[in-house]
Amino acid sequence: MTPDDLRSLVNAGEVDTVLAAFTDGYGRLLGKRIDAAFFVDHTIGHGTHACDYLLTVDMEMEPVAGYEYASWELGYGDFHLVADLATLARAGWTDSSAIVLCDVVDVETHAPVAVAPRSMLANQVERAAELGFTVKAASELEFFLFDDSYRDAHRKGYADLEPAGWYIEDYHLLQGARVEGYVGAARRALTATGIPVESSKGEWGRGQHELNIRYADVSTMADRHSLMKHAMKELAESQDLSVTFMAKPSSGEAGSSSHLHLSLWDADAEANVFDVGGVRSDVFRWFLGGWMAGTADFMAFYAPTVNSYKRYVDGSWAPTRIAWSQDNRTAGFRVVGDGPGLRIECRIPGADCNPYLAYTAALASGLRGVQEKIEPPPAFEGDVYAAADLPRVPRTLEHATERFAASTLVRDTLGTAVTDHFVKFFQVEVDAFQASVSDWERQRYFERI
C-alpha cells in the first residue's frame, strides 16, 4: 500500500502500529514497533535508528568481540533504518498493524551498510542489471508444525514435542485438512500481506508441510521469504502452536529445504534469456556452470548453521552431491520448465538459510559463470546419491567456513571486509557448538565411557 493508504487507515483507526523491520545475519526480522501516526508524520522520509551491534550479535543477542564493523571499542553506535516504502503492507497476521522493510544505512556516509544482507543482495541485483539482466526467483519453504506452543517447547527443552501429524503425509489431503486451521490461516495471512500464495501441501516428515508463494523479481522474493517466516511464527504463537524452519529438527525425520528457483530475463525485452526460440541458451549454460562451480565456496550462505549439515543424508530427498539433471530430485541442481518458465532449481539450501545471503551467493556464482563462460559438467542421469565420484557438499559448517574464508571467488565478489565479517559470523556458530555438551554425548558416554 502507499503512504496515503496507510494514512487513511490510521485516520480510520484500522492501523495503529507499523513494524519497521530489517534482516540480520541469521535471517531474523529485527526492528521497532512504531506508532502508526508517528510513522506517517515523522518516520517516512527520515527513518529511524537502531544500534549497530545488531549485525554482530550471536543467536542469544550477546555482543561478540572481534568484528571490525562494530565493537565495544567503537562504542556500538547507531545505524539508520530507512523504510523501503515499496514494501509497505498490512501485516495480515494481525488485526491492526502494518509492516515495512528497511535498508540499513550508515549514519555518516548515508551509504548502505555493506555487511547488511539486504545491501549485499542489492549489489548483486545491480551487477545483473549492468549485464542487462533482471532476475526472477522463487523460494520453496518447508517447515515442521507442532501442537506445542513455543513456550511449552522451550520448557520441554525442545524434546518430545507433539508433531501435527503421526505418519508421513506427503501430498495427503486428509492430513492437510487436520492442520488447515493453521496452514489455511497462514495462506490467508500472507495473501492479506500482499504476498501471493500458490499452494500448500503435506511433506515427507511427520508434521512437515510446504507453503509456496508466487515467483517475483529476486529482491522482492527475498523480502517475501523473510516476511513469510516471520508471519508464520507469529501466527503459530497466536494459536499456541510452534513452527520451525530448522534444517533438521529431528534425526529420525526428513529435513526441511528452501529450494531456490532462478532465471535471468532481458531487462528491456522482458524475456527469459535462458530460452531462445525453444533452445537453451549459452547464458543458461554458463549461469548453471558458474552457480555449480561456486557452490562449495558459498556453502555457508546456503547452509548457515551447524544443524544445516545434518540434512545432507543420501536417500533423504536432500542433495549430497553437486550435479545437475533434468527433473531429477536426487541432484543438487534440477532443471525444470520450458519456454518462459525455464529455470534452474537449486535444492541445496535448507529452510534455515537467510534468503538475502542465499540469493547473493547464487547470483555471485552464476553471473561469474556468464562473464567467464564457465561450462557446466555433463547432465547426470540416474541416482546421484549412488555416484560416489561426484563432488560432495561440505560436511560441516566448520568445513564450509574454511572454504568460504579461503575463496578467491567470495573475496572478489563480496570484498575483504564483508568476507571477513561473515567468516567471523560463522566461526561464532562453530565455536558455540564445539563448546556445548549435547544430549547425544550424555546418552553415549555418561555410563559407558
Side-chain angles (χ1 to χ4, degrees), residues 64-145:
V64 177
Y67 282 102
E68 291 294 324
Y69 171 67
S71 65
W72 290 117
E73 290 76 15
L74 295 173
Y76 283 127
D78 278 351
F79 53 56
H80 205 202
L81 295 179
V82 178
D84 179 353
L85 294 177
T87 69
L88 182 64
R90 289 290 293 261
W93 61 94
T94 69
D95 292 331
S96 58
S97 295
I99 189 165
V100 67
L101 296 177
C102 300
D103 288 310
V104 182
V105 175
D106 187 277
V107 293
E108 294 182 358
T109 67
H110 308 295
V113 170
V115 298
R118 201 166 190 258
S119 303
M120 294 164 64
L121 178 56
N123 288 339
Q124 294 307 309
V125 170
E126 182 177 348
R127 182 180 167 204
E130 290 170 355
L131 296 173
F133 303 128
T134 56
V135 186
K136 306 289 187 182
S139 305
E140 292 182 84
L141 265 173
E142 297 170 353
F143 57 93
F144 278 86
L145 178 66

Side-chain angles (χ1 to χ4, degrees), residues 110-399:
H110 308 295
V113 170
V115 298
R118 201 166 190 258
S119 303
M120 294 164 64
L121 178 56
N123 288 339
Q124 294 307 309
V125 170
E126 182 177 348
R127 182 180 167 204
E130 290 170 355
L131 296 173
F133 303 128
T134 56
V135 186
K136 306 289 187 182
S139 305
E140 292 182 84
L141 265 173
E142 297 170 353
F143 57 93
F144 278 86
L145 178 66
F146 296 95
D147 288 336
D148 308 81
S149 70
Y150 280 120
R151 183 174 290 275
D152 287 342
H154 176 72
R155 285 177 179 146
K156 294 167 72 171
Y158 303 99
D160 300 320
L161 304 184
E162 189 68 32
W166 51 93
Y167 50 78
I168 293 175
E169 57 197 57
D170 203 10
Y171 289 91
H172 280 221
L173 291 177
L174 175 60
Q175 180 58 29
R178 293 184 177 120
V179 298
E180 185 66 2
Y182 172 76
V183 178
R187 293 197 309 270
R188 292 185 288 276
L190 292 171
T191 299
T193 309
I195 299 175
V197 172
E198 289 190 352
S199 63
S200 60
K201 60 177 280 292
E203 264 296 337
W204 204 64
R206 293 161 183 85
Q208 188 183 34
H209 294 265
E210 177 179 279
L211 199 160
N212 290 326
I213 54 181
R214 200 170 306 169
Y215 81 94
D217 70 89
V218 68
S219 298
T220 299
M221 193 66 214
D223 290 343
R224 289 176 176 176
H225 181 137
S226 296
L227 286 168
M228 173 180 169
K229 289 177 71 172
H230 183 84
M232 291 180 68
K233 289 178 182 180
E234 282 206 22
L235 184 64
E237 175 75 17
S238 72
Q239 295 189 12
D240 289 328
L241 303 171
S242 55
V243 61
T244 183
F245 295 94
M246 280 183 69
K248 188 78 168 179
S250 171
S251 58
E253 296 286 353
S256 289
S257 68
S258 175
H259 301 154
L260 306 183
H261 295 248
L262 277 178
S263 58
L264 296 185
W265 289 60
D266 184 300
D268 295 324
E270 268 297 294
N272 186 343
V273 298
F274 280 0
D275 179 276
V276 178
V279 178
R280 293 175 184 176
S281 67
D282 290 341
V283 170
F284 163 82
R285 198 173 67 252
W286 296 332
F287 190 89
L288 174 60
W291 196 355
M292 293 179 67
T295 297
D297 288 23
F298 273 109
M299 189 67 185
F301 277 11
Y302 302 127
T305 72
V306 169
N307 178 258
S308 303
Y309 297 82
K310 309 296 174 68
R311 176 174 155 261
Y312 302 115
V313 177
D314 287 342
S316 69
W317 300 104
T320 56
R321 290 169 178 82
I322 301 170
W324 78 275
S325 292
Q326 178 72 32
D327 195 12
N328 180 342
R329 284 181 169 83
T330 70
F333 290 84
R334 174 175 171 249
V335 176
V336 292
D338 53 45
L342 178 64
R343 61 198 185 276
I344 302 167
E345 175 193 41
C346 181
R347 299 174 62 82
I348 291 171
D352 56 350
C353 74
N354 180 331
Y356 298 101
L357 299 184
Y359 282 124
T360 291
L363 290 180
S365 304
L367 293 175
R368 171 178 171 256
V370 173
Q371 290 177 302
E372 299 183 11
K373 301 182 179 179
I374 297 174
E375 294 289 345
F380 188 92
E381 296 184 5
D383 181 3
V384 176
Y385 292 128
D389 56 328
L390 289 174
R392 197 188 188 284
V393 297
R395 293 182 180 275
T396 67
L397 181 59
E398 184 173 12
H399 292 144

